[in-house]
Amino acid sequence: MSAAAKPGLRSVPATIDSGEKASRERLDRLAASRIAIEGIDPEIDGGRFPAKTVVGETFVVEVDIFGDGHETFDAALLYREGKDGAWTEAPLTFVINDRWRGELLFEQNGPAAFTVIAWRDLYAQWAYEIRKKVAAGQKVTLELTEGRNLVETAMKNPRDGAPALSIASKLASTKDEDALLNLLLSDDVAAWMKQAAQRANLTRYDKELPVWVDRKAAAFSAWYELMPRSMTDDENRHGTFRDVIDRLPYVQDLGFDVLYFTPIHPIGKTNRKGRNNTLTPGPDDVGSPYAIGSADGGHDAVHPELGTIEDFDALVSAAHEHGLEIALDFAIQCSPDHPWIKEHPEWFDWRPDGTIKFAENPPKKYEDIVNVHFYRDAIPGLWYALRDVVLYWVEHGVKIFRVDNPHTKPFPFWEWMIAEVHDKHPDVIFLAEAFTRPKVMKRLGKVGYSQSYSYFTWRNEKWELEEYLTELTTEECRHYMRPNFFANTPDINPVYLQTSGRPGFRTRLVLAATLAGNYGLYNGYEICDAAPMPGKEEYLDSEKYQIRIWDMDQPGNIQDDIRLVNRLRRENPALQKFTTLKFFKAFNDNILFYGKFDPATSNYLLFHVNLDPHNAQSCQFELPLWEFDLPDDASIEVEDMLHGNRFTWHGKSHSLELDPQTRPYAIWRLYPPGAPRP
């Protein structure tokens, strides 16, 4: 029905002049949206990009709803799952100051959407006014007639199979004014009218806001990274996929659920790098796995020394049997030997002398790789080829991809490619490896990346951890950017780990695993491997350029710490959500004090972490009794999650000391009054 044909609005005469017609059309359009609906959270860039959530996780929507005068309003969310799913209604509840709140629960991995509707609640307004008049001793005969009319009007168009007959019968038999007043204001009538009453001035928000619903692993996962070629006990024998299968029980025992590999594709020989990134390799040097492509194939092939595609399939299957998913590195760069260079020279940049341009980050040069470009004659062929590479590995059981340097490729490509993959496989997860400008990282999250690297690796001081985590958990980016806190990577050997010894590794492990929903470790972390290239955040004898033999059981390893935090993550719902993080007061700049709370499961955890890896630190701290509406002198039961003993904390003020040489962290579970005990 057009606006001009709506009841109560006059149709526009055919003979009216064009200016008056436009004026009347504007009038009808604006009059039809009497109620203001604004300030929706989340609404990402005006609905240009989807907010993210997870299957089965509460999705909270807040919105401002108001109108003229002192009318009473009601409102609801409309939501659907899938591109063409039916709309379902969920209630919105008034909070304060025209702010409303509602919760949705999506059950299907893939696209979804929601919008907001609001209307004048004539019955609620009538009930509010008549109660005031009765309290003032005023006569309400006419008001009772108005109330009866509202109910009888609702009976003509009952919604949701409302029990109209029962109420109609009671109305017909009620003659006394006091009895009629009690009936019209009864809980039964009020509940029925909320469902069945006329929705006056029904206004719908002018956009359908997109949501992307991921599977749980997009928001909660623990990654372990290794290079398959180093899964050998002899540096003269190249590790294989079959060797990795033998390593699966170890990774499973540590408690990880994602096993991530650096590129597994054929490695080029032209300008191959030697040990420690030298330009003078020996005949047996294995080169960097990021120099992708040789006569043996490109991005859809496996390095022959690792095995065959059948071996890889066997590895994926074995990993699943151990509760692990395989994640692959998707690195869009090529060795000078990559087949694409001859097959598609138009995808590359060529210099005036006919040579191909090496990858550069001036003054650095990467002589063993070249980059593709994405426009000119590379579109659409390159875009299709890269999409098909991802789809190829998906068909071989890979549903998680860590993408190398995505910020150096066009945003439109990522938005298109990820959508193409999700159209067929909505359960695929993409991790953006991009340590770059904040707005660039956030844009990658908007265009489709499920997870994002972050600045956590370089946030070491208490104030900067609190500041950065507050940004990530409270600002708009919380709706679309999920950080993955990698404590180290093959490329990054942080200065903090180089200089902190075993205590520092334990500290950063606990921070990464308990602050974020997603976190990762690169193998060698468990033995506190941190020998640096002098003056650089890089590893000496990096296995990016050589095969390394690992002894993970050597003295001083922190495997038990890793098992502990991964077990706590699995067992405690509070650790499975990122935005529940809260910081509390510990009066020492070297001790970070924070909590993760999940009231739905009565799961409340507190953490103290000593950020100083060299010295014991003590502090006074405030137990957050206020989070449970308890007074400052209340008592609360506590469980030490490291030792299993239970005791009671009395009052708000307490003290503690953490010696990094003994254990640089403490983890507590709180049991407020009335909370269930396991």
Side-chain angles (χ1 to χ4, degrees):
M1 181 184 293
S2 68
K6 289 183 178 179
L9 298 177
R10 292 186 298 108
S11 60
V12 180
T15 57
I16 199 168
D17 67 77
S18 59
E20 184 65 20
K21 181 179 180 181
S23 174
R24 183 53 190 271
E25 289 175 346
R26 178 189 296 132
L27 183 156
D28 291 343
R29 173 174 51 82
L30 293 175
S33 299
R34 181 175 179 178
I35 301 171
I37 301 174
E38 62 185 37
I40 296 179
D41 181 46
E43 180 178 354
I44 312 303
D45 288 4
R48 166 71 173 82
F49 297 107
K52 293 188 178 77
T53 189
V54 171
V55 171
E57 183 175 294
T58 301
F59 181 77
V60 177
V61 177
E62 293 191 354
V63 54
D64 294 330
I65 296 172
F66 55 93
D68 54 278
H70 301 285
E71 299 293 321
T72 300
F73 302 99
D74 203 353
L77 295 168
L78 295 179
Y79 69 100
R80 67 181 179 190
E81 301 194 59
K83 293 182 178 179
D84 302 309
W87 289 99
T88 301
E89 185 173 304
L92 279 165
T93 302
F94 179 79
V95 181
I96 192 172
N97 194 27
D98 298 319
R99 194 68 171 167
W100 295 65
R101 187 180 190 273
E103 296 182 352
L104 301 176
L105 205 65
F106 295 103
E107 299 177 350
Q108 179 180 317
N109 177 202
F114 75 94
T115 191
V116 179
I117 56 173
W119 58 93
R120 291 170 58 230
D121 189 334
L122 302 181
Y123 169 81
Q125 182 68 23
W126 170 86
Y128 168 76
E129 291 178 352
I130 200 171
R131 284 191 175 97
K132 293 182 68 175
K133 291 180 179 180
V134 169
Q138 297 179 2
K139 187 175 179 60
V140 293
T141 301
L142 289 177
E143 285 79 359
L144 287 172
T145 301
E146 291 171 347
R148 179 191 289 270
N149 290 341
L150 287 172
V151 174
E152 290 176 343
T153 298
M155 291 177 184
K156 297 176 183 178
N157 295 291
R159 301 176 66 242
D160 303 323
L165 292 178
S166 174
I167 295 175
S169 175
K170 292 178 182 178
L171 275 178
S173 62
T174 302
K175 306 300 182 183
D176 178 76
E177 283 195 357
D178 288 340
L180 180 59
L181 177 65
N182 290 334
L183 173 62
L184 293 177
L185 291 177
S186 68
D187 291 343
D188 288 344
V189 170
W192 179 71
M193 288 294 284
K194 189 171 183 65
Q195 296 297 319
Q198 174 191 359
R199 293 179 167 183
N201 299 113
L202 180 65
T203 301
R204 180 169 176 151
Y205 191 57
D206 59 2
K207 299 173 188 173
E208 296 176 7
L209 300 178
V211 179
W212 182 260
V213 186
D214 278 302
R215 59 188 175 101
K216 186 175 180 179
F220 180 71
S221 57
W223 294 48
Y224 185 81
E225 179 179 3
L226 60 78
M227 294 196 182
R229 70 186 184 191
S230 288
M231 297 301 103
T232 174
D233 55 6
D234 180 356
E235 66 177 10
N236 296 311
R237 183 182 72 81
H238 198 286
T240 68
F241 293 136
R242 298 289 175 177
D243 292 318
V244 178
I245 291 176
D246 294 337
R247 197 66 175 162
L248 295 177
Y250 170 77
V251 180
Q252 179 187 31
D253 177 64
L254 289 178
F256 292 97
D257 43 57
V258 177
L259 177 57
Y260 156 49
F261 302 149
T262 49
I264 59 171
H265 314 299
I267 298 172
K269 293 186 177 180
T270 299
N271 300 331
R272 177 174 285 192
K273 295 295 184 73
R275 296 188 175 211
N276 289 311
N277 200 21
T278 66
L279 298 178
T280 55
D284 297 325
D285 278 322
V286 291
S288 167
Y290 289 91
I292 297 170
S294 73
D296 295 307
H299 286 74
D300 56 357
V302 297
H303 190 57
E305 292 185 78
L306 288 173
T308 65
I309 190 63
E310 290 77 19
D311 293 329
F312 179 79
D313 292 341
L315 168 57
V316 172
S317 178
H320 289 168
E321 293 174 1
H322 285 82
L324 295 164
E325 282 199 67
I326 297 299
L328 288 186
D329 210 320
F330 184 40
I332 303 178
Q333 59 225 18
C334 301
S335 154
D337 304 325
H338 198 293
W340 282 350
I341 293 177
K342 290 183 178 179
E343 296 169 359
H344 298 283
E346 71 277 10
W347 295 355
F348 298 88
D349 288 316
W350 298 85
R351 300 173 69 83
D353 63 357
T355 59
I356 198 166
K357 185 176 182 180
F358 297 132
E360 295 182 356
N361 182 13
K364 293 182 179 180
K365 285 188 177 183
Y366 304 95
E367 295 86 353
D368 57 342
I369 60 173
V370 298
N371 285 326
V372 296
H373 67 75
F374 284 80
Y375 283 83
R376 304 194 302 274
D377 293 335
I379 191 169
L382 175 67
W383 294 38
Y384 287 135
L386 292 171
R387 175 202 62 187
D388 292 346
V389 164
V390 174
L391 291 174
Y392 172 83
W393 291 109
V394 171
E395 292 303 318
H396 283 275
V398 178
K399 295 295 184 74
I400 304 179
F401 295 88
R402 177 267 196 189
V403 180
D404 191 58
N405 287 322
H407 59 292
T408 62
K409 286 79 179 174
F411 299 132
F413 166 73
W414 292 124
E415 187 172 0
W416 172 84
M417 192 276 287
I418 293 172
E420 288 277 302
V421 173
H422 278 163
D423 281 346
K424 296 181 178 180
H425 305 281
D427 56 340
V428 172
I429 293 169
F430 292 93
L431 166 60
E433 180 267 341
F435 300 109
T436 182
R437 304 186 304 279
K439 292 177 182 178
V440 174
M441 286 195 287
K442 291 175 180 177
R443 183 73 176 195
L444 289 167
K446 290 178 183 179
V447 301
Y449 275 91
S450 320
Q451 302 176 8
S452 305
Y453 275 20
S454 71
Y455 292 147
F456 166 76
T457 313
W458 297 280
R459 296 295 185 265
N460 300 316
E461 300 293 332
K462 178 176 178 175
W463 69 267
E464 56 188 357
L465 282 165
E466 291 184 345
E467 180 182 83
Y468 188 49
L469 269 296
T470 299
E471 172 194 338
L472 293 180
T473 57
T474 64
E475 296 185 7
E476 186 191 52
C477 60
R478 74 189 188 280
H479 293 305
Y480 59 80
M481 179 179 165
R482 299 190 190 101
N484 190 324
F485 283 2
F486 263 78
N488 67 329
T489 78
D491 297 301
I492 302 171
N493 180 14
V495 172
Y496 182 92
L497 296 181
Q498 294 178 20
T499 58
S500 64
R502 186 172 184 267
F505 277 80
R506 301 175 85 192
T507 289
R508 296 299 291 184
L509 163 68
V510 170
L511 292 176
T514 62
L515 287 171
N518 301 299
Y519 92 104
L521 303 177
Y522 161 54
N523 87 169
Y525 193 96
E526 60 264 53
I527 57 172
C528 308
D529 181 60
M533 289 282 287
K536 296 182 178 181
E537 282 193 318
E538 298 178 16
Y539 289 95
L540 184 66
D541 299 325
S542 167
E543 64 176 334
K544 284 175 61 179
Y545 308 104
Q546 67 184 72
I547 293 172
R548 288 190 61 181
I549 308 302
W550 296 99
D551 175 12
M552 301 306 187
D553 295 324
Q554 60 185 269
N557 72 75
I558 61 170
Q559 292 179 20
D560 286 343
D561 296 89
I562 296 172
R563 293 186 186 97
L564 170 70
V565 296
N566 283 335
R567 177 178 60 80
L568 292 177
R569 282 166 54 86
R570 289 192 304 272
E571 294 176 352
N572 291 274
L575 292 178
Q576 298 172 20
K577 298 177 182 179
F578 179 52
T579 57
T580 62
L581 174 69
K582 294 183 179 182
F583 292 102
F584 301 118
K585 290 183 179 179
F587 299 96
N588 181 330
D589 287 342
N590 290 295
I591 294 182
L592 189 69
F593 180 31
Y594 56 97
K596 286 283 192 78
F597 294 174
D598 183 44
T601 59
S602 298
N603 190 230
Y604 309 100
L605 298 183
L606 294 177
F607 303 84
H608 290 94
V609 182
N610 183 359
L611 304 178
D612 179 355
H614 305 293
N615 303 291
Q617 297 287 341
S618 61
C619 73
Q620 295 289 320
F621 68 91
E622 291 186 351
L623 182 64
L625 295 169
W626 58 88
E627 293 288 337
F628 309 102
D629 296 323
L630 296 174
D632 288 353
D633 59 353
S635 299
I636 196 166
E637 187 178 343
V638 188
E639 180 181 0
D640 182 342
M641 301 299 283
L642 305 181
H643 303 99
N645 56 306
R646 294 195 184 187
F647 54 94
T648 299
W649 271 335
H650 301 284
K652 183 175 72 171
S653 297
H654 298 270
S655 62
L656 120 158
E657 180 179 270
L658 292 174
D659 184 345
Q661 303 304 322
T662 304
R663 191 186 296 268
Y665 58 87
I667 304 174
W668 322 96
R669 180 172 179 180
L670 303 183
Y671 295 94
R677 271 63 171 166

